[in-house]
Amino acid sequence: MPKYEIEKLHPVFRRQMDALAALDIDAVMANYTDDAVLLRFEGVSTGAKAVRETFTGYLTLKPTLVELQEYIETDDTIFYRAIMNLNGEPEHAFGTLVVRDGRIWRQTAGFGS
């Protein structure tokens, strides 16, 4: 697997990983537009309030990036596959971030191999 230099990753992705690692819901939400939509197999969160509720629950799992396995970006889209620790257990994660005006406008996120 390729190694990714964190400083070369999209600034929105870096900010999001830092906010998650800090378990800081306000920093997480600073990365989202007011009309953001988060799609997961568990459901859709539409708007900042719903996205905040989803991430408030997610942060209780103490997510930590272990390994960024695959990553590609354009100016406005980020696609990744990673291993995250959730409650200390490794989970395969994947997703897409669509960026508008320097913040996450649309996101897909999932777990599984």
Side-chain angles (χ1 to χ4, degrees), residues 11-33:
V12 171
F13 187 83
R14 291 195 321 257
R15 284 195 319 263
Q16 184 71 342
M17 291 300 104
D18 289 344
L20 291 172
L23 304 177
D24 185 340
I25 189 63
D26 292 327
V28 168
M29 292 311 300
N31 293 321
Y32 287 87
T33 63

Side-chain angles (χ1 to χ4, degrees), residues 52-84:
R52 178 181 281 273
E53 289 173 10
T54 298
F55 273 101
T56 297
Y58 181 61
L59 291 179
T60 66
L61 302 175
K62 299 181 175 95
T64 307
L65 177 64
V66 175
E67 179 186 351
L68 187 58
Q69 296 179 309
E70 293 184 281
Y71 176 95
I72 192 163
E73 68 178 51
T74 65
D75 290 341
D76 67 351
T77 305
I78 302 159
F79 185 42
Y80 69 91
R81 190 166 65 93
I83 297 176
M84 301 286 293

Side-chain angles (χ1 to χ4, degrees), residues 3 79 108:
K3 293 286 184 186
F79 185 42
T108 65

